[in-house]
Amino acid sequence: SGVTTVFDGGSSGVMTFPHFLETHIKTAVTDIFAFLHMNPVGEVMLPETWDREKIAVNPEAITETVLNNRRYIREIKNRAIGPLIRQRGLEAVDTALEVCARCAVPFMVHIGLDPEDDTPECEVAAFTRGLLERLRPGDIITHAFTGKRGRIFRADGLFDDLVRKAVDRGVILDACVGRTNIPWESLR
């Protein structure tokens, strides 16, 4: 009812994008653009599996998919959740940024770990620090105001300088409420 354009925030990856393209994007009256997930199956099953033995991230296939579908794919996405942080770490960010550079598209990263996630705080903080240092102009941090672990705005101000520097160089902070990603405490 009046919506002309929709951006899908990473539902599909290289293995699932062809189906998404044929059954949703090409059949819709509304324009649909995609953020291609670095995980080959996207967000078909959550949380995503990042185990190297079970899932192979193929930068060449991702690059080819983006370049062959430039009309529909506008960004690359990753979710900085516990399994990704523990099993791939900042290598996941570096790989995504390399693919984004090859394809001339921005990178969007979801932050905020679910309450049951037991990733050690030192790993989460190191990942968040590295993420903030790596993002480029036009890249997006989504759920930027989350109160979950892995957040960039903390009571102790740990990342305040890095957030300011990221914003100053053109990183975009996206509120993206989601189900549980914008507590009032974070907005104070």
Side-chain angles (χ1 to χ4, degrees):
S1 71
V3 175
T4 61
T5 306
V6 174
F7 283 83
D8 174 77
S11 295
S12 62
V14 294
M15 292 173 63
T16 54
F17 181 77
H19 179 74
F20 182 60
L21 177 64
E22 294 303 320
T23 62
H24 292 77
I25 294 175
K26 288 185 176 180
T27 62
V29 175
T30 303
D31 290 331
I32 300 176
F33 300 106
F35 295 2
L36 189 70
H37 206 298
M38 286 293 292
N39 187 299
V41 296
E43 295 181 14
V44 171
M45 293 175 22
L46 294 175
E48 303 92 308
T49 301
W50 287 104
D51 186 329
R52 292 175 192 280
E53 303 299 316
K54 296 178 183 173
I55 198 92
V57 173
N58 183 335
E60 290 73 28
I62 297 167
T63 300
E64 182 179 336
T65 300
V66 173
L67 294 177
N68 288 338
N69 295 282
R70 188 171 288 287
R71 176 177 177 201
Y72 303 109
I73 299 174
R74 299 299 169 92
E75 297 195 25
I76 300 289
K77 179 186 180 180
N78 248 343
R79 287 191 342 128
I81 58 174
L84 178 126
I85 293 170
R86 288 189 309 275
Q87 297 165 14
R88 295 199 183 254
L90 289 167
E91 173 198 345
V93 175
D94 293 338
T95 301
L97 290 172
E98 287 172 19
V99 171
C100 289
R102 280 189 238 150
C103 299
V105 297
F107 177 49
M108 181 175 88
V109 62
H110 158 121
I111 61 170
L113 282 66
D114 289 328
E116 63 276 1
D117 190 289
D118 62 353
T119 305
E121 187 55 37
C122 61
E123 287 182 46
V124 175
F127 180 90
T128 303
R129 176 174 298 286
L131 174 69
L132 287 166
E133 292 170 341
R134 285 167 167 77
L135 294 178
R136 310 152 310 155
D139 290 339
I140 299 169
I141 298 174
T142 195
H143 307 303
F145 302 99
T146 187
K148 294 179 178 181
R149 291 178 57 235
R151 64 188 171 269
I152 58 174
F153 294 109
R154 298 167 38 136
D156 63 8
L158 181 64
F159 302 121
D160 287 359
D161 287 341
L162 290 172
V163 171
R164 277 190 200 92
K165 288 177 185 175
V167 169
D168 287 347
R169 69 176 180 273
V171 173
I172 299 165
L173 303 182
D174 173 31
C176 190
V177 178
R179 287 189 320 244
T180 59
N181 285 300
I182 193 158
W184 289 109
E185 310 82 65
S186 296
L187 297 177
R188 289 190 191 140

